[in-house]
Amino acid sequence: PVWRSRSQMLSFERKVLRRMDYVLLSEEVYNTRPELYEGIANCRALPYMMPAFLNSKSAKNLYTSDKVNCIYAGSFYSDIRNPEFLLNVFARMPLNIILHLYSKGCENIVSRYSAVPNIIVHDTVTPSELQAVYKSADILIGVGNAVRDYLPSKTFEYISQLKPIVYFNHADIENEVLLDYPVALQLSDEEDVEKASSKLSDFCKVCVTRPSIEKKEILKSYKKHTPQYIKAIIEKVFIKK
């Protein structure tokens, strides 16, 4: 906003929130911005809702099974979700570990790595085509934002696929949602790239031999992200009894 300081905008936002009967904030805003709702009695966090689990019967396999196929599906931004470290790490992977990119944004960075044999840049796909991509993946790759207030909702989309997840974080920011996920590796872009590559390589070796992730295990760990749990919050707020 032009001619407005951060403190002025914060004051305005607090005034708006105070006029509300009930305030629902995303979990990361609730946890990182308590100054927004200080003194507001009717305020709580509203969790992200996990999508429906993947229906594997409706999707075909897209990749050869003799490779470890890692999928990144989403957008890159040079300032808040930069792919440089991710690509640098995969450029050091063994040739049997493939990174498939279904991405948009930061094309100038991605193009520098397009000649790397195990980094494959695909055209964008439709949501229905993406289901086949997810089914065919051995490992799903995420990249975190450089700001703490916003967690990419892609995290929950990935969790619902019941696949191992590797998440590339910025600096000391950690994806707390994945701390409860049974098969996940988190890396920081401040790590030594060779050490990060070694961790990723070891993780891939383990993933190809471990048992499948069970749906009931995920529902137990992420109960508050189910439609039933979120429905109960909404009903409490909006339905007068």
Side-chain angles (χ1 to χ4, degrees):
V2 180
W3 315 121
R4 293 290 185 271
S5 67
R6 179 178 175 83
S7 61
Q8 287 174 319
M9 293 304 297
L10 174 60
S11 176
F12 177 75
E13 192 167 2
R14 283 169 55 84
K15 287 178 181 177
V16 172
L17 294 182
R18 282 200 175 95
R19 290 179 176 268
M20 302 298 161
D21 295 313
Y22 212 108
V23 177
L24 296 171
L25 300 174
S26 68
E27 287 186 300
E28 58 268 35
V29 171
Y30 188 87
N31 292 331
T32 61
R33 300 288 307 282
E35 70 276 13
L36 282 178
Y37 58 88
E38 184 180 359
I40 299 175
N42 294 326
C43 178
R44 68 176 297 173
L46 184 68
Y48 284 103
M49 186 167 69
M50 191 161 51
F53 289 100
L54 174 68
N55 180 6
S56 59
K57 294 180 180 179
S58 63
K60 62 181 180 179
N61 231 319
L62 300 177
Y63 315 119
T64 57
S65 58
D66 61 334
K67 309 288 185 182
V68 180
N69 294 290
C70 304
I71 305 299
Y72 176 84
S75 298
F76 293 129
Y77 306 94
S78 59
D79 52 349
I80 65 167
R81 197 183 304 152
N82 193 296
E84 184 82 48
F85 185 74
L86 160 71
L87 297 171
N88 202 0
V89 168
F90 268 95
R92 290 165 167 74
M93 286 291 99
L95 291 179
N96 69 315
I97 299 176
I98 309 297
L99 174 62
H100 298 272
L101 287 177
Y102 295 86
S103 64
K104 60 181 180 179
C106 292
E107 283 79 9
N108 59 326
I109 299 175
V110 173
S111 64
R112 297 205 311 268
Y113 291 87
S114 59
V116 176
N118 59 327
I119 297 178
I120 302 175
V121 181
H122 296 268
D123 293 332
T124 55
V125 294
T126 65
S128 59
E129 292 171 331
L130 187 58
Q131 291 306 304
V133 171
Y134 282 151
K135 184 207 169 184
S136 305
D138 296 303
I139 297 172
L140 300 175
I141 306 296
V143 179
N145 290 338
V147 289
R148 297 180 186 274
D149 294 357
Y150 301 101
L151 170 77
S153 57
K154 181 70 68 176
T155 299
F156 290 96
E157 187 176 326
Y158 277 3
I159 288 173
S160 69
Q161 309 305 315
L162 304 175
K163 303 272 186 175
I165 298 173
V166 176
Y167 207 82
F168 289 79
N169 294 302
H170 175 67
D172 63 341
I173 299 175
E174 189 172 40
N175 188 326
E176 294 185 3
V177 173
L178 290 178
L179 297 180
D180 294 323
Y181 196 70
V183 192
L185 171 68
Q186 298 202 53
L187 301 170
S188 168
D189 59 11
E190 290 190 338
E191 292 186 56
D192 176 79
V193 68
E194 296 292 348
K195 289 183 179 179
S197 301
S198 179
K199 288 181 184 178
L200 177 57
S201 180
D202 290 343
F203 182 78
C204 290
K205 292 174 184 176
V206 171
C207 287
V208 295
T209 59
R210 74 170 311 282
S212 300
I213 299 170
E214 295 291 331
K215 186 188 300 185
K216 62 182 180 181
E217 185 178 7
I218 299 304
L219 289 173
K220 181 179 179 181
S221 297
Y222 294 95
K223 180 180 178 180
K224 71 175 184 178
H225 299 284
T226 60
Q228 296 83 1
Y229 187 96
I230 295 171
K231 179 185 176 184
I233 295 176
I234 300 297
E235 287 181 338
K236 183 177 180 181
V237 173
F238 292 106
I239 299 178
K240 294 182 179 180
K241 296 183 179 179

